[in-house]
Amino acid sequence: MEKTPVLTSQSAAIARPSVAHHKKRRFSWDKMWSFLTLVPSLAAVLIFVYGFLGWTGYVSFTKWNSILPDYQLWGFKNYQILFQDYRFQSDLRNLLFFTVFFILACMVVGLFLAVLVDQKIKGENIFRNIFLFPMALSFIVTGVVWQWLLNPKTGVNLIFEALGASHPPAWYTSTRIVPSFHVGQIQFGLPIAMIAVLIASVWQMSGFAMALYLSGLRAVPEEIKEAAHVDGANGWKTFWRIVFPQLRPVTVTVVIILVQSSMKTFDLVYAMTGPGNGYVTDLPSLDMFTTTFQANQYAQGSAIAIVMFVLMMIFVIPYLWNSLRKEGQ
Amino acid sequence: MKKKYLSIAGGAVLALGVVTACGSPSNNTGSNGSASGSASTTSNQVQIFSWWTAGGEANGLNALIKTFNKEYPHEKIVNEAVAGGGGSNAKAVLASRMQAGDPPETFQVHAGQELMAWVNAGKMQPLDSLYKSMGLNKVIPAAIINDLSKNGHVYAVPVDVGRGNVLWYNPAVLKKYHLTPPKTMSQFISELKTLKAKGVTPLAYGDKDQLGSVMLWENVLLATMGPQNYDKLWQGKLSFNNPQVKQATNTFLELLQYTNSNHSALTWDEADQMVADGSAAFNLMGDWAKAYFQSKGLKEGSQFGWTAFPGTNNDFEYVIDSFGLPKGAKNPTGAMDFLKLVASKQGQDEFNPLKGSIPPRTDANVNLFDTYSKEAMSDFKKDSLVPSLANGEAANPAFETAATQAVTMLISTKNVNEFVSALNTAAEENPLS
């Protein structure tokens, strides 16, 4: 993949030699120089990204489940154990609900804020920065702050209690799962505790969605909107029929970036809730950390990492393929 | 920061793996930047690896380091403490360094199976000669030495002893409802009932990091089974199908009815805070909780009280920090010098009063310690000594993680049969010894 640009520029050069110069020489110091400058980063990417990916994949098929490395192959046994595991099954359920609701909420909130900011209001800069600001914080900070805010005994519940609520929400300490039906070893459904994590993560990332949508909105030509206006479309109609369809590419970008950030979520949950009551807020990344570094089950931990990687690829590959194809045109 | 360090450390592990996989014969590749391959010439560094970064523990460590510098001026101590409760982060960093063949000179490790994981992996050097020359066999209880040994060789020196079966209480709350510290499980449960009826949280616990729940379960187990059977369970000589395990688990579930609903939001110290401010009456925690109460300015006896967990009055569930000598340490002489100080009466008397723990040496100077520690020191001499699962002594790390998971699952499902079969599976996959 990294090589493609180099090859195309070479082949392009070969294809039209007559235009440039009469010399048919393939070698030029200029090209050599650009190739040499690329070598270190290419090598680094090959070793530190793809090499280690492959190595992790290899380890996930071995018996290395104690401190002492054991490279005997064990087939799919680690994966088999993993998918029968109560904790990992909970992780997949949580990840599914977390990702879906996180993205939907970020998109809705982000789009809403973008439209508001786009109304050519006074102090637009200030609002934009306020909405973007949470993104500048580390997830650890967000996690700690929301852990306090949503602590059922000391946080916002004190306000609810003062207002007379007798059963304020239990937030991330809740063990309820709705709707709850039995799948594998676990109860399937949205863990209510996840809502607390969702609030924190949407608070942090919706500003980012807003920024992207705002740039998308700005890219819609004024003429089209004016033309719609002249044709008698009201503001609402203009937005849904004219502007919104133009935001499709931005939406795809938002979804892809948020999907991969939600699948990797670790620090937020680590700081805010931990694995939770009966693993209601656990995610594969937390499981991977404990399995690898606390239980020293390296093969098992690698298997979790590979599952996470495959899940992510399911979303990212079609996107990359799509955008590369467009570049090709 | 931490994550970054981990990923770098992890990278180092993997890089080394690749190098070995390629069959490169060169040793000491990369990773150990400063120290050159042949150690003897340059290195006078003594890297001390621990998770003592704050409070009394850090003060204790610093006192040891100060004394060490005075006695061995030519050695240079490097304090490589990694923050994080119970050493969860430190253990991850240590594992990476050990895998990468870049061990510290010595590292903090819980006695028992946590140490044995390293011994079994062939990463530790025996300390038999140190024990002999210092006469440690005479002053450290045999049960403890046994826990630090494999095949007749001893692999670490213990520096402090904590106790895991302590029930902390708020004296004012007990007095208000005319209750006395419970001695038996039935008395305990009836007191919990009374307190619940009065609207006080009877028993606080915090299991955000899952320590509080596993410790509570293992204490009920100890109270139900007694020290002999409890020990046999961890040696793999008794099955988890034993009816006493089920009985204990049912009692554990009964106790949970009297606990705070927000337990999963709290760490152990936040649960102790509930006892400190009187919103809860009891909390089960190791005696490191004493240091927490004292750091809040509470006076022992009058403002916070303690008793052995009901039904474990003659048992001492020990949590022991020890230091060993990893193979491949670049400055083994310096490491041995530090271990000598750690094992000495002087070193232990200096360290333990600051940390709030008691010395494993039975010849320590009792007058240096507070009331709680004096009591603990005399109990340590006469009680049955049993290991803790939650703190790494009783079982290997993989079993411990699986058991922790089973307890977490039990709390949400309340299914005792499922819990027992999860423990059995864990023991099959990670045999206890």
Side-chain angles (χ1 to χ4, degrees), chain B residues 163-221:
Chain B
R163 185 176 193 174
N165 56 326
V166 187
L167 186 70
W168 303 94
Y169 59 85
N170 184 313
V173 173
L174 291 203
K175 204 175 162 197
K176 189 172 169 196
Y177 301 110
H178 312 291
L179 303 172
T180 52
K183 292 285 166 219
T184 63
M185 192 57 82
S186 56
Q187 186 194 351
F188 186 39
I189 290 177
S190 87
E191 291 189 3
L192 295 177
K193 261 186 201 138
T194 312
L195 289 160
K196 194 177 182 181
K198 304 286 183 191
V200 186
T201 300
L203 176 62
Y205 81 111
D207 65 345
K208 186 183 174 197
D209 49 12
Q210 295 162 316
L211 182 68
S213 51
V214 182
M215 282 189 73
L216 187 60
W217 176 74
E218 72 181 1
N219 268 279
V220 179
L221 191 70

Side-chain angles (χ1 to χ4, degrees), chain B residues 363-418:
Chain B
D363 62 346
N365 183 358
V366 181
N367 297 326
L368 297 168
F369 294 87
D370 57 21
T371 318
Y372 170 81
S373 295
K374 277 178 188 152
E375 262 184 55
M377 285 162 89
S378 95
D379 288 346
F380 183 64
K381 281 182 196 166
K382 62 180 208 302
D383 284 357
S384 317
L385 302 178
V386 291
S388 158
L389 169 71
N391 293 288
E393 273 83 2
N396 59 68
F399 179 88
E400 186 192 330
T401 313
T404 304
Q405 185 173 325
V407 172
T408 309
M409 193 167 126
L410 171 73
I411 294 172
S412 82
T413 64
K414 314 268 191 272
N415 187 332
V416 176
N417 290 331
E418 208 174 71

